[in-house]
Every structure is written in structure tokens, then in C-alpha cells.
Amino acid sequence: MSKSEFISEQHKENVEWSSKLDFYKDEIEILQKRLDEIAVKNNKKEVLTSIEYFQNQLIIHRNTIDEIQHGVNVSEDALVSEVKKNPVASDHRKTKYHQAEKEEIQILEKVFKELREEFNRFVSKWI
């Protein structure tokens, strides 16, 4: 049996996830600026190799965020469509829970935290 939840709760979760994803996008921009600062100040091969590694990681994370955001948008569009089809008592109806998006967000948060910690160790070494 699949898990379900109220449409209004799922909408609230979609909004929260979109905010988190926007936060991570902003943080990627901040990390990229820090990388640019380090690149200007250091031209050692070891530093440049690490900069390239982190740039690639940021690109991967940006793409992952975009993919997750797309999934959240699709979920939100389905909710809107469901409510438009039958707006009566929509706040009391349930829909299939979006477990895949929840798991993707959790994994993103874990992996991004690890990347941020690794990045901060790198920055502290070269600034």
C-alpha cells in the first residue's frame, strides 16, 4: 500500500523544498566566488587541480538541484491540476506521497554538507 498525505501538506512541503533548493543554488554561487578568489591568488598545480575538482562538483550539484526542482514542479503541477478538477474539499483530500522527491532532497542535503565541509578544509588551507 502506498503512502498518502493531504494535498495541502504536500503543497507546503513542495514550497519548503523549493526554498531549500534556492538556498543551495545561492550557496553554490558563493562557493564559486570563493573558488575564483583562490584561483586569482594561487597558481600552484595542486591548487588548480583542487579548484577544477570543486568547480566540477558545483556544476554537478547545480544540475542535480535543477533536476530535483523539476520533480518538485511536476509534483506541484499535479496538485494544482487535481484541485482544479475538483476544488470541493481539496484541503481534506489526499494524494500519493512524493517519496522519491523527499529522498532526493535528503541525499542532496547530506552530500552538499559533505562537499561544503571538504570545500572549507580546502579554503582554510589556501587562504
Side-chain angles (χ1 to χ4, degrees):
M1 184 168 170
S2 65
K3 187 177 175 181
S4 64
E5 77 175 342
F6 289 108
I7 291 173
S8 60
E9 287 299 312
Q10 197 168 86
H11 167 70
K12 188 164 61 170
E13 203 163 39
N14 284 341
V15 170
E16 177 187 327
W17 291 346
S18 288
S19 293
K20 282 184 179 185
L21 294 171
D22 287 342
F23 170 80
Y24 286 119
K25 281 188 202 177
D26 291 344
E27 190 154 1
I28 286 173
E29 294 305 314
I30 292 167
L31 296 178
Q32 183 61 55
K33 287 178 184 174
R34 300 279 315 267
L35 270 181
D36 294 343
E37 290 172 17
I38 293 170
V40 168
K41 296 177 183 176
N42 297 285
N43 60 1
K44 295 180 183 175
K45 182 176 170 71
E46 176 186 3
V47 176
L48 296 177
T49 301
S50 293
I51 288 171
E52 183 178 5
Y53 163 76
F54 283 113
Q55 285 176 328
N56 289 338
Q57 290 300 307
L58 295 177
I59 290 168
I60 290 168
H61 276 78
R62 194 176 296 119
N63 290 339
T64 300
I65 289 167
D66 288 344
E67 290 171 11
I68 295 172
Q69 184 65 63
H70 176 73
V72 171
N73 292 343
V74 167
S75 173
E76 189 65 17
D77 290 345
L79 294 178
V80 169
S81 177
E82 179 68 24
V83 170
K84 282 183 178 179
K85 278 195 284 187
N86 184 5
V88 177
S90 63
D91 55 338
H92 297 293
R93 290 200 327 262
K94 291 191 172 187
T95 188
K96 182 178 179 251
Y97 185 67
H98 48 188
Q99 187 65 37
E101 289 89 354
K102 182 177 183 80
E103 290 171 2
E104 289 176 332
I105 293 283
Q106 290 171 336
I107 291 168
L108 173 73
E109 289 178 316
K110 179 184 180 295
V111 172
F112 198 88
K113 179 181 181 233
E114 292 168 358
L115 176 66
R116 187 186 311 119
E117 289 169 354
E118 183 182 9
F119 183 86
N120 287 336
R121 284 190 299 273
F122 166 74
V123 168
S124 67
K125 183 177 178 180
W126 296 106
I127 280 199

